[in-house]
Amino acid sequence: QVHLVQSGAEVKQPGASVKISCRASGYTFTSYSLHWVRQAPGQGLEWMGIINPRDGGTTYPQKFQGRVTLTRDTSTSTFYMELSSLRSEDTAVYYCGRDRSADWGQGTLVTVSS
Amino acid sequence: EIVLTQSPATLSLSPGERATLSCRASQSVTIYLAWYQKKPGQAPRLLIYDASKRATGIPARFSGSGSGTNFTLTISSLEPEDFAVYYCQQRTNLYTFGQGTKVEI
């Protein structure tokens, strides 16, 4: 059974960075790319990027280029999403999701507040 | 960037009724369009991929159709658990979501 387990909630100050993890199990880690998506309060879903676990290759939408970094650790089957220069508008629930599948993490709430 | 426009923004229906949701793309996405259901506090749930293929475990009352720039998600007979927000997503040019359609009682 596939599981994507995300790290816990974070509270950050404006200007700081946050790094969220997504630990995968139940499948071959390198076989599926992984997406990151977020949902701010009262807003829709927003795609933040995708990483290929075989070679670490990443693709980001223009909005997040330079501010989001996706990485992976093949030794622990864990993906990471780091978002820098946080502002209040980054307050959201962040989800990881396996490409071409219905498997998602449980979500991580990031609150940006002074 | 491909923009997806969903309509209507809100659909007010009763259990047992048919729901028809629309998603229009700013340029052709061929068949590479998916539909997700989103409820508060839950992860997105994949319903339909490649325009018309039901994801594993999705009831037959959910169906998708369309190609190119116009797509439809149909829920043939609404169950109480179907009241939620629905998003379309394309994967032809990067990935983008529509703004969502809320299906409410």
Side-chain angles (χ1 to χ4, degrees), chain A residues 35 37 39 43-47 50 59-61 95 99-102 104-105, chain B residues 36 38-39 41-46 55 87 89 91 94-99:
Chain A
H35 297 268
V37 167
Q39 186 174 37
Q43 303 299 308
L45 297 173
E46 186 171 33
W47 182 71
I50 186 171
T59 303
Y60 307 109
Y95 296 98
D99 189 39
R100 314 284 178 101
S101 81
W104 290 82
Chain B
Y36 288 85
K38 183 70 172 68
K39 294 181 179 180
Q42 297 185 18
R45 180 191 184 197
L46 178 65
Y87 294 90
Q89 183 203 38
R91 63 178 178 90
L94 301 185
Y95 298 79
T96 50
F97 287 97
Q99 82 279 17

PDB file of all heavy atoms in Angstrom, chain A residues 35 37 39 43-47 50 59-61 95 99-102 104-105, chain B residues 36 38-39 41-46 55 87 89 91 94-99:
ATOM      1  N   HIS A  35       4.691  15.590  -7.218  1.00  0.00           N
ATOM      2  CA  HIS A  35       4.223  16.967  -7.301  1.00  0.00           C
ATOM      3  C   HIS A  35       4.109  17.583  -5.907  1.00  0.00           C
ATOM      4  O   HIS A  35       3.866  16.879  -4.915  1.00  0.00           O
ATOM      5  CB  HIS A  35       2.811  17.020  -7.910  1.00  0.00           C
ATOM      6  CG  HIS A  35       2.725  16.541  -9.304  1.00  0.00           C
ATOM      7  ND1 HIS A  35       2.851  17.380 -10.393  1.00  0.00           N
ATOM      8  CD2 HIS A  35       2.496  15.307  -9.800  1.00  0.00           C
ATOM      9  CE1 HIS A  35       2.699  16.672 -11.500  1.00  0.00           C
ATOM     10  NE2 HIS A  35       2.481  15.416 -11.168  1.00  0.00           N
ATOM     11  N   VAL A  37       1.713  20.744  -4.279  1.00  0.00           N
ATOM     12  CA  VAL A  37       0.546  21.584  -4.535  1.00  0.00           C
ATOM     13  C   VAL A  37       0.195  22.260  -3.218  1.00  0.00           C
ATOM     14  O   VAL A  37       0.412  21.685  -2.147  1.00  0.00           O
ATOM     15  CB  VAL A  37      -0.628  20.700  -5.027  1.00  0.00           C
ATOM     16  CG1 VAL A  37      -1.951  21.452  -4.998  1.00  0.00           C
ATOM     17  CG2 VAL A  37      -0.358  20.163  -6.418  1.00  0.00           C
ATOM     18  N   GLN A  39      -2.775  24.920  -1.006  1.00  0.00           N
ATOM     19  CA  GLN A  39      -4.084  25.569  -0.964  1.00  0.00           C
ATOM     20  C   GLN A  39      -4.092  26.556   0.191  1.00  0.00           C
ATOM     21  O   GLN A  39      -4.031  26.162   1.351  1.00  0.00           O
ATOM     22  CB  GLN A  39      -5.218  24.561  -0.807  1.00  0.00           C
ATOM     23  CG  GLN A  39      -6.598  25.214  -0.896  1.00  0.00           C
ATOM     24  CD  GLN A  39      -7.735  24.231  -0.898  1.00  0.00           C
ATOM     25  OE1 GLN A  39      -7.692  23.207  -0.211  1.00  0.00           O
ATOM     26  NE2 GLN A  39      -8.774  24.528  -1.669  1.00  0.00           N
ATOM     27  N   GLN A  43      -8.845  29.665  -0.869  1.00  0.00           N
ATOM     28  CA  GLN A  43      -8.378  29.726  -2.256  1.00  0.00           C
ATOM     29  C   GLN A  43      -8.392  28.350  -2.909  1.00  0.00           C
ATOM     30  O   GLN A  43      -8.691  27.338  -2.256  1.00  0.00           O
ATOM     31  CB  GLN A  43      -6.956  30.306  -2.298  1.00  0.00           C
ATOM     32  CG  GLN A  43      -6.818  31.674  -1.655  1.00  0.00           C
ATOM     33  CD  GLN A  43      -7.675  32.710  -2.342  1.00  0.00           C
ATOM     34  OE1 GLN A  43      -7.621  32.873  -3.568  1.00  0.00           O
ATOM     35  NE2 GLN A  43      -8.471  33.426  -1.564  1.00  0.00           N
ATOM     36  N   GLY A  44      -8.027  28.320  -4.185  1.00  0.00           N
ATOM     37  CA  GLY A  44      -8.001  27.064  -4.921  1.00  0.00           C
ATOM     38  C   GLY A  44      -6.664  26.348  -4.802  1.00  0.00           C
ATOM     39  O   GLY A  44      -5.769  26.762  -4.068  1.00  0.00           O
ATOM     40  N   LEU A  45      -6.551  25.268  -5.567  1.00  0.00           N
ATOM     41  CA  LEU A  45      -5.315  24.498  -5.596  1.00  0.00           C
ATOM     42  C   LEU A  45      -4.297  25.176  -6.503  1.00  0.00           C
ATOM     43  O   LEU A  45      -4.650  25.690  -7.569  1.00  0.00           O
ATOM     44  CB  LEU A  45      -5.590  23.079  -6.096  1.00  0.00           C
ATOM     45  CG  LEU A  45      -6.528  22.233  -5.226  1.00  0.00           C
ATOM     46  CD1 LEU A  45      -6.850  20.915  -5.929  1.00  0.00           C
ATOM     47  CD2 LEU A  45      -5.915  21.988  -3.863  1.00  0.00           C
ATOM     48  N   GLU A  46      -3.041  25.149  -6.100  1.00  0.00           N
ATOM     49  CA  GLU A  46      -1.977  25.810  -6.858  1.00  0.00           C
ATOM     50  C   GLU A  46      -0.795  24.856  -6.999  1.00  0.00           C
ATOM     51  O   GLU A  46      -0.252  24.375  -6.006  1.00  0.00           O
ATOM     52  CB  GLU A  46      -1.554  27.094  -6.145  1.00  0.00           C
ATOM     53  CG  GLU A  46      -0.567  27.943  -6.911  1.00  0.00           C
ATOM     54  CD  GLU A  46      -0.367  29.291  -6.242  1.00  0.00           C
ATOM     55  OE1 GLU A  46      -0.438  29.378  -5.003  1.00  0.00           O
ATOM     56  OE2 GLU A  46      -0.099  30.262  -6.978  1.00  0.00           O
ATOM     57  N   TRP A  47      -0.390  24.578  -8.236  1.00  0.00           N
ATOM     58  CA  TRP A  47       0.725  23.673  -8.498  1.00  0.00           C
ATOM     59  C   TRP A  47       2.045  24.397  -8.300  1.00  0.00           C
ATOM     60  O   TRP A  47       2.252  25.497  -8.815  1.00  0.00           O
ATOM     61  CB  TRP A  47       0.638  23.151  -9.933  1.00  0.00           C
ATOM     62  CG  TRP A  47       1.701  22.178 -10.297  1.00  0.00           C
ATOM     63  CD1 TRP A  47       1.822  20.887  -9.856  1.00  0.00           C
ATOM     64  CD2 TRP A  47       2.795  22.403 -11.182  1.00  0.00           C
ATOM     65  NE1 TRP A  47       2.932  20.292 -10.424  1.00  0.00           N
ATOM     66  CE2 TRP A  47       3.539  21.194 -11.237  1.00  0.00           C
ATOM     67  CE3 TRP A  47       3.222  23.485 -11.945  1.00  0.00           C
ATOM     68  CZ2 TRP A  47       4.692  21.058 -12.017  1.00  0.00           C
ATOM     69  CZ3 TRP A  47       4.361  23.357 -12.729  1.00  0.00           C
ATOM     70  CH2 TRP A  47       5.090  22.146 -12.751  1.00  0.00           C
ATOM     71  N   ILE A  50       7.385  19.886  -9.725  1.00  0.00           N
ATOM     72  CA  ILE A  50       7.485  18.430  -9.815  1.00  0.00           C
ATOM     73  C   ILE A  50       8.948  18.030  -9.821  1.00  0.00           C
ATOM     74  O   ILE A  50       9.796  18.764 -10.338  1.00  0.00           O
ATOM     75  CB  ILE A  50       6.760  17.910 -11.082  1.00  0.00           C
ATOM     76  CG1 ILE A  50       6.731  16.385 -11.121  1.00  0.00           C
ATOM     77  CG2 ILE A  50       7.381  18.485 -12.356  1.00  0.00           C
ATOM     78  CD1 ILE A  50       5.846  15.820 -12.234  1.00  0.00           C
ATOM     79  N   THR A  59      10.928  20.794 -12.309  1.00  0.00           N
ATOM     80  CA  THR A  59      10.238  21.782 -13.120  1.00  0.00           C
ATOM     81  C   THR A  59       9.360  22.601 -12.199  1.00  0.00           C
ATOM     82  O   THR A  59       8.631  22.033 -11.373  1.00  0.00           O
ATOM     83  CB  THR A  59       9.379  21.119 -14.210  1.00  0.00           C
ATOM     84  OG1 THR A  59      10.198  20.285 -15.026  1.00  0.00           O
ATOM     85  CG2 THR A  59       8.719  22.180 -15.079  1.00  0.00           C
ATOM     86  N   TYR A  60       9.439  23.925 -12.361  1.00  0.00           N
ATOM     87  CA  TYR A  60       8.666  24.841 -11.526  1.00  0.00           C
ATOM     88  C   TYR A  60       7.859  25.788 -12.415  1.00  0.00           C
ATOM     89  O   TYR A  60       8.338  26.204 -13.477  1.00  0.00           O
ATOM     90  CB  TYR A  60       9.582  25.690 -10.636  1.00  0.00           C
ATOM     91  CG  TYR A  60      10.575  24.918  -9.803  1.00  0.00           C
ATOM     92  CD1 TYR A  60      11.933  24.947 -10.102  1.00  0.00           C
ATOM     93  CD2 TYR A  60      10.166  24.179  -8.697  1.00  0.00           C
ATOM     94  CE1 TYR A  60      12.861  24.254  -9.332  1.00  0.00           C
ATOM     95  CE2 TYR A  60      11.086  23.481  -7.919  1.00  0.00           C
ATOM     96  CZ  TYR A  60      12.429  23.520  -8.256  1.00  0.00           C
ATOM     97  OH  TYR A  60      13.338  22.829  -7.485  1.00  0.00           O
ATOM     98  N   PRO A  61       6.688  26.204 -11.945  1.00  0.00           N
ATOM     99  CA  PRO A  61       5.991  27.278 -12.665  1.00  0.00           C
ATOM    100  C   PRO A  61       6.739  28.581 -12.428  1.00  0.00           C
ATOM    101  O   PRO A  61       7.445  28.739 -11.426  1.00  0.00           O
ATOM    102  CB  PRO A  61       4.606  27.290 -12.017  1.00  0.00           C
ATOM    103  CG  PRO A  61       4.811  26.716 -10.663  1.00  0.00           C
ATOM    104  CD  PRO A  61       5.936  25.728 -10.777  1.00  0.00           C
ATOM    105  N   TYR A  95       0.664  20.067  -0.023  1.00  0.00           N
ATOM    106  CA  TYR A  95       0.482  18.634  -0.253  1.00  0.00           C
ATOM    107  C   TYR A  95       1.538  18.110  -1.225  1.00  0.00           C
ATOM    108  O   TYR A  95       1.883  18.795  -2.203  1.00  0.00           O
ATOM    109  CB  TYR A  95      -0.884  18.354  -0.897  1.00  0.00           C
ATOM    110  CG  TYR A  95      -2.086  18.693  -0.063  1.00  0.00           C
ATOM    111  CD1 TYR A  95      -2.769  19.894  -0.233  1.00  0.00           C
ATOM    112  CD2 TYR A  95      -2.583  17.785   0.877  1.00  0.00           C
ATOM    113  CE1 TYR A  95      -3.886  20.197   0.512  1.00  0.00           C
ATOM    114  CE2 TYR A  95      -3.717  18.084   1.628  1.00  0.00           C
ATOM    115  CZ  TYR A  95      -4.348  19.293   1.440  1.00  0.00           C
ATOM    116  OH  TYR A  95      -5.474  19.588   2.178  1.00  0.00           O
ATOM    117  N   ASP A  99       2.883  11.391  -9.062  1.00  0.00           N
ATOM    118  CA  ASP A  99       2.455  11.644 -10.441  1.00  0.00           C
ATOM    119  C   ASP A  99       1.662  10.466 -10.995  1.00  0.00           C
ATOM    120  O   ASP A  99       1.957   9.317 -10.695  1.00  0.00           O
ATOM    121  CB  ASP A  99       3.682  11.893 -11.310  1.00  0.00           C
ATOM    122  CG  ASP A  99       3.323  12.378 -12.697  1.00  0.00           C
ATOM    123  OD1 ASP A  99       2.378  13.185 -12.818  1.00  0.00           O
ATOM    124  OD2 ASP A  99       3.984  11.943 -13.658  1.00  0.00           O
ATOM    125  N   ARG A 100       0.670  10.768 -11.798  1.00  0.00           N
ATOM    126  CA  ARG A 100      -0.159   9.781 -12.496  1.00  0.00           C
ATOM    127  C   ARG A 100      -0.821   8.794 -11.538  1.00  0.00           C
ATOM    128  O   ARG A 100      -1.016   7.626 -11.877  1.00  0.00           O
ATOM    129  CB  ARG A 100       0.666   8.987 -13.522  1.00  0.00           C
ATOM    130  CG  ARG A 100       1.557   9.832 -14.399  1.00  0.00           C
ATOM    131  CD  ARG A 100       0.815  10.557 -15.472  1.00  0.00           C
ATOM    132  NE  ARG A 100       1.701  11.397 -16.271  1.00  0.00           N
ATOM    133  CZ  ARG A 100       2.164  11.064 -17.466  1.00  0.00           C
ATOM    134  NH1 ARG A 100       1.807   9.904 -17.993  1.00  0.00           N
ATOM    135  NH2 ARG A 100       2.972  11.874 -18.120  1.00  0.00           N
ATOM    136  N   SER A 101      -1.138   9.245 -10.349  1.00  0.00           N
ATOM    137  CA  SER A 101      -1.781   8.344  -9.381  1.00  0.00           C
ATOM    138  C   SER A 101      -2.691   9.146  -8.471  1.00  0.00           C
ATOM    139  O   SER A 101      -2.739  10.373  -8.531  1.00  0.00           O
ATOM    140  CB  SER A 101      -0.727   7.597  -8.558  1.00  0.00           C
ATOM    141  OG  SER A 101      -0.243   8.416  -7.513  1.00  0.00           O
ATOM    142  N   ALA A 102      -3.399   8.442  -7.627  1.00  0.00           N
ATOM    143  CA  ALA A 102      -4.335   9.083  -6.700  1.00  0.00           C
ATOM    144  C   ALA A 102      -3.754   9.200  -5.305  1.00  0.00           C
ATOM    145  O   ALA A 102      -4.489   9.429  -4.347  1.00  0.00           O
ATOM    146  CB  ALA A 102      -5.623   8.269  -6.663  1.00  0.00           C
ATOM    147  N   TRP A 104      -1.731  10.844  -2.296  1.00  0.00           N
ATOM    148  CA  TRP A 104      -1.337  12.155  -1.782  1.00  0.00           C
ATOM    149  C   TRP A 104      -0.939  12.052  -0.320  1.00  0.00           C
ATOM    150  O   TRP A 104      -1.420  11.163   0.404  1.00  0.00           O
ATOM    151  CB  TRP A 104      -2.510  13.144  -1.884  1.00  0.00           C
ATOM    152  CG  TRP A 104      -2.808  13.521  -3.294  1.00  0.00           C
ATOM    153  CD1 TRP A 104      -3.555  12.812  -4.189  1.00  0.00           C
ATOM    154  CD2 TRP A 104      -2.354  14.683  -3.981  1.00  0.00           C
ATOM    155  NE1 TRP A 104      -3.589  13.464  -5.386  1.00  0.00           N
ATOM    156  CE2 TRP A 104      -2.871  14.618  -5.290  1.00  0.00           C
ATOM    157  CE3 TRP A 104      -1.565  15.769  -3.626  1.00  0.00           C
ATOM    158  CZ2 TRP A 104      -2.613  15.608  -6.249  1.00  0.00           C
ATOM    159  CZ3 TRP A 104      -1.315  16.748  -4.577  1.00  0.00           C
ATOM    160  CH2 TRP A 104      -1.841  16.669  -5.876  1.00  0.00           C
ATOM    161  N   GLY A 105      -0.073  12.978   0.116  1.00  0.00           N
ATOM    162  CA  GLY A 105       0.207  13.113   1.527  1.00  0.00           C
ATOM    163  C   GLY A 105      -0.984  13.739   2.245  1.00  0.00           C
ATOM    164  O   GLY A 105      -1.944  14.182   1.610  1.00  0.00           O
TER     165      GLY A 105
ATOM    166  N   TYR B  36     -10.316  16.641 -10.052  1.00  0.00           N
ATOM    167  CA  TYR B  36     -10.105  16.323  -8.650  1.00  0.00           C
ATOM    168  C   TYR B  36     -11.293  16.807  -7.828  1.00  0.00           C
ATOM    169  O   TYR B  36     -11.907  17.825  -8.132  1.00  0.00           O
ATOM    170  CB  TYR B  36      -8.856  17.026  -8.111  1.00  0.00           C
ATOM    171  CG  TYR B  36      -7.559  16.458  -8.607  1.00  0.00           C
ATOM    172  CD1 TYR B  36      -7.015  16.854  -9.824  1.00  0.00           C
ATOM    173  CD2 TYR B  36      -6.862  15.514  -7.853  1.00  0.00           C
ATOM    174  CE1 TYR B  36      -5.814  16.329 -10.272  1.00  0.00           C
ATOM    175  CE2 TYR B  36      -5.652  14.993  -8.294  1.00  0.00           C
ATOM    176  CZ  TYR B  36      -5.145  15.409  -9.506  1.00  0.00           C
ATOM    177  OH  TYR B  36      -3.951  14.888  -9.947  1.00  0.00           O
ATOM    178  N   LYS B  38     -12.154  18.079  -3.914  1.00  0.00           N
ATOM    179  CA  LYS B  38     -11.444  18.574  -2.739  1.00  0.00           C
ATOM    180  C   LYS B  38     -12.465  18.908  -1.649  1.00  0.00           C
ATOM    181  O   LYS B  38     -13.407  19.664  -1.876  1.00  0.00           O
ATOM    182  CB  LYS B  38     -10.621  19.814  -3.085  1.00  0.00           C
ATOM    183  CG  LYS B  38      -9.776  20.363  -1.931  1.00  0.00           C
ATOM    184  CD  LYS B  38      -8.648  19.467  -1.579  1.00  0.00           C
ATOM    185  CE  LYS B  38      -7.703  20.123  -0.557  1.00  0.00           C
ATOM    186  NZ  LYS B  38      -8.334  20.300   0.765  1.00  0.00           N
ATOM    187  N   LYS B  39     -12.240  18.316  -0.475  1.00  0.00           N
ATOM    188  CA  LYS B  39     -13.058  18.630   0.694  1.00  0.00           C
ATOM    189  C   LYS B  39     -12.169  19.250   1.757  1.00  0.00           C
ATOM    190  O   LYS B  39     -10.967  18.967   1.802  1.00  0.00           O
ATOM    191  CB  LYS B  39     -13.703  17.358   1.236  1.00  0.00           C
ATOM    192  CG  LYS B  39     -14.709  16.721   0.293  1.00  0.00           C
ATOM    193  CD  LYS B  39     -15.322  15.469   0.910  1.00  0.00           C
ATOM    194  CE  LYS B  39     -16.340  14.850  -0.021  1.00  0.00           C
ATOM    195  NZ  LYS B  39     -16.946  13.631   0.557  1.00  0.00           N
ATOM    196  N   GLY B  41      -9.928  19.947   4.774  1.00  0.00           N
ATOM    197  CA  GLY B  41      -9.159  19.069   5.650  1.00  0.00           C
ATOM    198  C   GLY B  41      -8.734  17.754   5.033  1.00  0.00           C
ATOM    199  O   GLY B  41      -8.149  16.911   5.708  1.00  0.00           O
ATOM    200  N   GLN B  42      -9.041  17.564   3.756  1.00  0.00           N
ATOM    201  CA  GLN B  42      -8.655  16.334   3.065  1.00  0.00           C
ATOM    202  C   GLN B  42      -7.753  16.639   1.888  1.00  0.00           C
ATOM    203  O   GLN B  42      -7.800  17.726   1.313  1.00  0.00           O
ATOM    204  CB  GLN B  42      -9.901  15.585   2.575  1.00  0.00           C
ATOM    205  CG  GLN B  42     -10.822  15.104   3.676  1.00  0.00           C
ATOM    206  CD  GLN B  42     -11.970  14.272   3.149  1.00  0.00           C
ATOM    207  OE1 GLN B  42     -11.936  13.763   2.014  1.00  0.00           O
ATOM    208  NE2 GLN B  42     -13.007  14.111   3.963  1.00  0.00           N
ATOM    209  N   ALA B  43      -6.942  15.661   1.516  1.00  0.00           N
ATOM    210  CA  ALA B  43      -6.103  15.795   0.333  1.00  0.00           C
ATOM    211  C   ALA B  43      -6.981  15.767  -0.921  1.00  0.00           C
ATOM    212  O   ALA B  43      -8.104  15.237  -0.894  1.00  0.00           O
ATOM    213  CB  ALA B  43      -5.073  14.673   0.295  1.00  0.00           C
ATOM    214  N   PRO B  44      -6.478  16.313  -2.012  1.00  0.00           N
ATOM    215  CA  PRO B  44      -7.232  16.189  -3.273  1.00  0.00           C
ATOM    216  C   PRO B  44      -7.442  14.718  -3.623  1.00  0.00           C
ATOM    217  O   PRO B  44      -6.590  13.874  -3.350  1.00  0.00           O
ATOM    218  CB  PRO B  44      -6.305  16.874  -4.295  1.00  0.00           C
ATOM    219  CG  PRO B  44      -5.415  17.761  -3.495  1.00  0.00           C
ATOM    220  CD  PRO B  44      -5.221  17.058  -2.189  1.00  0.00           C
ATOM    221  N   ARG B  45      -8.582  14.454  -4.219  1.00  0.00           N
ATOM    222  CA  ARG B  45      -8.914  13.082  -4.622  1.00  0.00           C
ATOM    223  C   ARG B  45      -9.022  13.041  -6.134  1.00  0.00           C
ATOM    224  O   ARG B  45      -9.869  13.746  -6.705  1.00  0.00           O
ATOM    225  CB  ARG B  45     -10.239  12.665  -3.983  1.00  0.00           C
ATOM    226  CG  ARG B  45     -10.718  11.246  -4.327  1.00  0.00           C
ATOM    227  CD  ARG B  45     -12.150  11.072  -3.866  1.00  0.00           C
ATOM    228  NE  ARG B  45     -12.656   9.716  -4.061  1.00  0.00           N
ATOM    229  CZ  ARG B  45     -13.953   9.404  -4.039  1.00  0.00           C
ATOM    230  NH1 ARG B  45     -14.862  10.342  -3.795  1.00  0.00           N
ATOM    231  NH2 ARG B  45     -14.322   8.143  -4.218  1.00  0.00           N
ATOM    232  N   LEU B  46      -8.196  12.253  -6.793  1.00  0.00           N
ATOM    233  CA  LEU B  46      -8.247  12.128  -8.253  1.00  0.00           C
ATOM    234  C   LEU B  46      -9.486  11.345  -8.656  1.00  0.00           C
ATOM    235  O   LEU B  46      -9.690  10.215  -8.211  1.00  0.00           O
ATOM    236  CB  LEU B  46      -6.981  11.431  -8.761  1.00  0.00           C
ATOM    237  CG  LEU B  46      -6.917  11.183 -10.262  1.00  0.00           C
ATOM    238  CD1 LEU B  46      -6.861  12.496 -11.035  1.00  0.00           C
ATOM    239  CD2 LEU B  46      -5.717  10.302 -10.605  1.00  0.00           C
ATOM    240  N   ALA B  55     -10.361   7.053 -12.179  1.00  0.00           N
ATOM    241  CA  ALA B  55      -9.276   6.547 -11.332  1.00  0.00           C
ATOM    242  C   ALA B  55      -9.779   5.340 -10.542  1.00  0.00           C
ATOM    243  O   ALA B  55     -10.989   5.118 -10.406  1.00  0.00           O
ATOM    244  CB  ALA B  55      -8.790   7.646 -10.399  1.00  0.00           C
ATOM    245  N   TYR B  87     -11.965  20.519  -9.114  1.00  0.00           N
ATOM    246  CA  TYR B  87     -10.962  21.231  -9.884  1.00  0.00           C
ATOM    247  C   TYR B  87     -10.571  20.417 -11.120  1.00  0.00           C
ATOM    248  O   TYR B  87     -10.402  19.190 -11.034  1.00  0.00           O
ATOM    249  CB  TYR B  87      -9.694  21.455  -9.060  1.00  0.00           C
ATOM    250  CG  TYR B  87      -9.881  22.373  -7.876  1.00  0.00           C
ATOM    251  CD1 TYR B  87     -10.248  21.864  -6.628  1.00  0.00           C
ATOM    252  CD2 TYR B  87      -9.690  23.749  -7.994  1.00  0.00           C
ATOM    253  CE1 TYR B  87     -10.420  22.699  -5.540  1.00  0.00           C
ATOM    254  CE2 TYR B  87      -9.857  24.592  -6.907  1.00  0.00           C
ATOM    255  CZ  TYR B  87     -10.217  24.059  -5.687  1.00  0.00           C
ATOM    256  OH  TYR B  87     -10.383  24.896  -4.617  1.00  0.00           O
ATOM    257  N   GLN B  89      -7.454  20.007 -13.983  1.00  0.00           N
ATOM    258  CA  GLN B  89      -6.002  20.228 -14.046  1.00  0.00           C
ATOM    259  C   GLN B  89      -5.479  19.723 -15.380  1.00  0.00           C
ATOM    260  O   GLN B  89      -5.832  18.625 -15.806  1.00  0.00           O
ATOM    261  CB  GLN B  89      -5.283  19.492 -12.912  1.00  0.00           C
ATOM    262  CG  GLN B  89      -3.779  19.729 -12.870  1.00  0.00           C
ATOM    263  CD  GLN B  89      -3.033  18.622 -12.148  1.00  0.00           C
ATOM    264  OE1 GLN B  89      -3.348  17.447 -12.256  1.00  0.00           O
ATOM    265  NE2 GLN B  89      -2.003  18.988 -11.391  1.00  0.00           N
ATOM    266  N   ARG B  91      -2.045  18.831 -17.928  1.00  0.00           N
ATOM    267  CA  ARG B  91      -0.620  18.476 -17.832  1.00  0.00           C
ATOM    268  C   ARG B  91       0.056  18.500 -19.206  1.00  0.00           C
ATOM    269  O   ARG B  91       1.046  17.822 -19.438  1.00  0.00           O
ATOM    270  CB  ARG B  91      -0.449  17.105 -17.171  1.00  0.00           C
ATOM    271  CG  ARG B  91      -1.049  15.928 -17.924  1.00  0.00           C
ATOM    272  CD  ARG B  91      -0.770  14.635 -17.179  1.00  0.00           C
ATOM    273  NE  ARG B  91      -1.359  13.467 -17.819  1.00  0.00           N
ATOM    274  CZ  ARG B  91      -0.747  12.728 -18.737  1.00  0.00           C
ATOM    275  NH1 ARG B  91       0.482  13.037 -19.135  1.00  0.00           N
ATOM    276  NH2 ARG B  91      -1.348  11.663 -19.256  1.00  0.00           N
ATOM    277  N   LEU B  94       3.411  22.218 -18.550  1.00  0.00           N
ATOM    278  CA  LEU B  94       3.492  22.239 -17.085  1.00  0.00           C
ATOM    279  C   LEU B  94       2.156  21.708 -16.539  1.00  0.00           C
ATOM    280  O   LEU B  94       1.541  20.837 -17.147  1.00  0.00           O
ATOM    281  CB  LEU B  94       3.821  23.631 -16.578  1.00  0.00           C
ATOM    282  CG  LEU B  94       5.127  24.251 -17.073  1.00  0.00           C
ATOM    283  CD1 LEU B  94       5.385  25.571 -16.394  1.00  0.00           C
ATOM    284  CD2 LEU B  94       6.295  23.318 -16.880  1.00  0.00           C
ATOM    285  N   TYR B  95       1.758  22.225 -15.394  1.00  0.00           N
ATOM    286  CA  TYR B  95       0.496  21.766 -14.777  1.00  0.00           C
ATOM    287  C   TYR B  95      -0.218  22.999 -14.246  1.00  0.00           C
ATOM    288  O   TYR B  95       0.404  23.826 -13.567  1.00  0.00           O
ATOM    289  CB  TYR B  95       0.774  20.809 -13.614  1.00  0.00           C
ATOM    290  CG  TYR B  95       1.491  19.531 -14.005  1.00  0.00           C
ATOM    291  CD1 TYR B  95       2.859  19.530 -14.223  1.00  0.00           C
ATOM    292  CD2 TYR B  95       0.794  18.331 -14.150  1.00  0.00           C
ATOM    293  CE1 TYR B  95       3.522  18.363 -14.587  1.00  0.00           C
ATOM    294  CE2 TYR B  95       1.447  17.157 -14.503  1.00  0.00           C
ATOM    295  CZ  TYR B  95       2.805  17.180 -14.722  1.00  0.00           C
ATOM    296  OH  TYR B  95       3.456  16.024 -15.080  1.00  0.00           O
ATOM    297  N   THR B  96      -1.485  23.111 -14.540  1.00  0.00           N
ATOM    298  CA  THR B  96      -2.257  24.195 -13.940  1.00  0.00           C
ATOM    299  C   THR B  96      -3.629  23.676 -13.550  1.00  0.00           C
ATOM    300  O   THR B  96      -4.153  22.740 -14.181  1.00  0.00           O
ATOM    301  CB  THR B  96      -2.432  25.400 -14.884  1.00  0.00           C
ATOM    302  OG1 THR B  96      -2.898  24.926 -16.160  1.00  0.00           O
ATOM    303  CG2 THR B  96      -1.127  26.152 -15.066  1.00  0.00           C
ATOM    304  N   PHE B  97      -4.202  24.313 -12.532  1.00  0.00           N
ATOM    305  CA  PHE B  97      -5.551  23.993 -12.070  1.00  0.00           C
ATOM    306  C   PHE B  97      -6.518  25.094 -12.496  1.00  0.00           C
ATOM    307  O   PHE B  97      -6.136  26.274 -12.607  1.00  0.00           O
ATOM    308  CB  PHE B  97      -5.591  23.921 -10.543  1.00  0.00           C
ATOM    309  CG  PHE B  97      -4.935  22.709  -9.939  1.00  0.00           C
ATOM    310  CD1 PHE B  97      -3.623  22.778  -9.468  1.00  0.00           C
ATOM    311  CD2 PHE B  97      -5.621  21.512  -9.818  1.00  0.00           C
ATOM    312  CE1 PHE B  97      -3.004  21.672  -8.897  1.00  0.00           C
ATOM    313  CE2 PHE B  97      -5.023  20.397  -9.253  1.00  0.00           C
ATOM    314  CZ  PHE B  97      -3.707  20.480  -8.794  1.00  0.00           C
ATOM    315  N   GLY B  98      -7.758  24.698 -12.681  1.00  0.00           N
ATOM    316  CA  GLY B  98      -8.821  25.689 -12.784  1.00  0.00           C
ATOM    317  C   GLY B  98      -9.103  26.272 -11.411  1.00  0.00           C
ATOM    318  O   GLY B  98      -8.543  25.829 -10.398  1.00  0.00           O
ATOM    319  N   GLN B  99     -10.006  27.251 -11.365  1.00  0.00           N
ATOM    320  CA  GLN B  99     -10.268  27.948 -10.100  1.00  0.00           C
ATOM    321  C   GLN B  99     -11.279  27.212  -9.221  1.00  0.00           C
ATOM    322  O   GLN B  99     -11.498  27.595  -8.077  1.00  0.00           O
ATOM    323  CB  GLN B  99     -10.764  29.387 -10.382  1.00  0.00           C
ATOM    324  CG  GLN B  99     -12.236  29.505 -10.710  1.00  0.00           C
ATOM    325  CD  GLN B  99     -12.595  29.172 -12.159  1.00  0.00           C
ATOM    326  OE1 GLN B  99     -11.819  28.550 -12.896  1.00  0.00           O
ATOM    327  NE2 GLN B  99     -13.786  29.589 -12.561  1.00  0.00           N
TER     328      GLN B  99
END
